[in-house]
């Protein structure tokens, strides 16, 4: 069964702290995506990771990909309240046109 | 560009009724897809299309039909609504199938089936 697992599912953190969200997947994939969703809103693209060792950074967020371990991480540096949202990783299944999403990590940054 | 648009935003149906959720994009994207989002389950792929006239099933296709007669439009039809289809539905598109492009999501349709 194809699975994409994220942990933690819920994360409450203080402003200024660092933390990492993990995304493990069970299928072969050459493309991994991170999205952000604010409550009641649609999904917004954050990062596209295409190769082993890929690292991308935007502001306080940094994403990386290890295709051998089938693991991606989303690292949050010095969190601020505006980062409060649900974060999803999604994997493109190799050889298909299908995408599998993780269950999401709901992040709450406390002032 | 309006991006990806969906109508309606909200809909309440009775069990057994049918309806069509509309999705359109004005970016000339080849790939379009429909997802449902349920609490604690992330997004699950219902159907997708890699071009006009070409559609295929995703993870959870039962109870849904799609067609793609034009590049721009990708409607999702509920044949006989059931309470289990209560969900938020998102349409998404990307430039090419199997491309490295991200998917762009519409605003969603919140459907309740009584």
């Amino acid at each position: 069964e194809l699975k994409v697992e994220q942990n933690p599912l819920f994360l409450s953190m203080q402003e200024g702290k660092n933390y990492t969200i993990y995304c493990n997947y069970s299928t072969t994939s050459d493309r991994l995506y991170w999205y952000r969703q604010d409550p009641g809103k649609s999904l917004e693209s954050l990062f596209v990771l295409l190769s082993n060792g890929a690292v991308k950074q935007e502001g306080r967020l940094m994403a990386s990909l290890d295709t051998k371990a089938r693991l991606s991480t989303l690292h949050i540096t010095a969190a601020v309240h505006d980062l409060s949202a649900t974060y999803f990783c999604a994997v493109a299944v190799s050889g298909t046109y299908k995408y599998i999403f993780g269950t999401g990590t709901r992040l709450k940054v406390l002032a | 560009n309006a991006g990806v648009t969906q109508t309606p935003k909200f809909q309440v149906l009775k069990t057994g009724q049918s309806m069509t959720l509309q999705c359109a994009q004005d970016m000339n994207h080849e790939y379009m897809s429909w997802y449902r989002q349920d609490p604690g389950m992330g997004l699950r792929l219902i159907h997708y299309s890699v071009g006009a006239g070409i559609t295929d099933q995703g993870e959870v296709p039962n109870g849904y039909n799609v067609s793609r007669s034009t590049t721009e439009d990708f409607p999702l039809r509920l044949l006989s609504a059931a309470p289990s289809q209560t969900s938020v539905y998102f349409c998404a598109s990307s430039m090419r199938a199997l491309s490295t492009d991200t998917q762009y999501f519409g605003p969603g349709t919140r459907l309740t089936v009584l």
Side-chain angles (χ1 to χ4, degrees):
Chain A
E1 183 186 353
L2 305 177
K3 279 188 179 179
V4 178
E5 295 182 332
Q6 286 183 237
N7 68 82
L9 297 183
F10 299 97
L11 176 56
S12 180
M13 56 192 298
Q14 296 288 333
E15 275 193 333
K17 298 293 186 184
N18 304 333
Y19 209 84
T20 300
I21 298 170
Y22 297 89
C23 173
N24 291 274
Y25 55 97
S26 65
T27 183
T28 303
S29 176
D30 53 3
R31 289 167 284 149
L32 189 135
Y33 304 84
W34 283 96
Y35 294 91
R36 168 184 171 141
Q37 185 180 38
D38 292 308
K41 304 290 186 182
S42 186
L43 280 78
E44 171 192 351
S45 177
L46 294 174
F47 300 108
V48 179
L49 302 169
L50 301 176
S51 60
N52 188 43
V55 177
K56 290 203 174 173
Q57 183 161 6
E58 180 73 35
R60 300 175 188 274
L61 300 178
M62 183 173 70
S64 66
L65 178 62
D66 181 342
T67 57
K68 292 178 183 176
R70 296 185 179 174
L71 171 69
S72 179
T73 61
L74 180 65
H75 187 72
I76 303 155
T77 301
V80 293
H81 180 71
D82 285 353
L83 290 179
S84 296
T86 299
Y87 293 86
F88 292 95
C89 63
V91 167
V93 182
S94 290
T96 77
Y97 300 108
K98 297 180 181 180
Y99 297 83
I100 307 292
F101 277 74
T103 49
T105 295
R106 186 173 171 185
L107 171 66
K108 188 172 183 179
V109 181
L110 305 171
Chain B
N1 282 354
V4 181
T5 58
Q6 291 183 238
T7 56
K9 285 189 167 57
F10 302 94
Q11 183 71 49
V12 178
L13 291 178
K14 293 182 179 177
T15 297
Q17 288 184 314
S18 62
M19 80 158 295
T20 299
L21 308 185
Q22 302 291 345
C23 173
Q25 51 89 11
D26 61 358
M27 299 175 282
N28 201 30
H29 281 176
E30 181 180 279
Y31 183 89
M32 295 186 75
S33 54
W34 276 102
Y35 295 88
R36 59 178 289 172
Q37 183 175 28
D38 302 295
M41 300 188 75
L43 278 77
R44 291 181 291 167
L45 182 64
I46 304 171
H47 285 285
Y48 64 91
S49 169
V50 299
I54 307 169
T55 65
D56 206 346
Q57 297 180 350
E59 277 183 272
V60 288
N62 292 342
Y64 308 95
N65 272 358
V66 292
S67 60
R68 188 142 175 227
S69 55
T70 67
T71 300
E72 296 77 20
D73 300 300
F74 190 43
L76 179 72
R77 296 183 189 84
L78 279 70
L79 308 172
S80 177
S84 61
Q85 293 179 304
T86 293
S87 188
V88 180
Y89 291 85
F90 288 100
C91 178
S93 72
S94 63
M95 188 168 293
R96 288 178 304 278
L98 293 183
S99 78
T100 58
D101 298 331
T102 190
Q103 292 187 84
Y104 296 88
F105 283 81
T109 294
R110 186 173 293 272
L111 175 68
T112 301
V113 183
L114 303 175

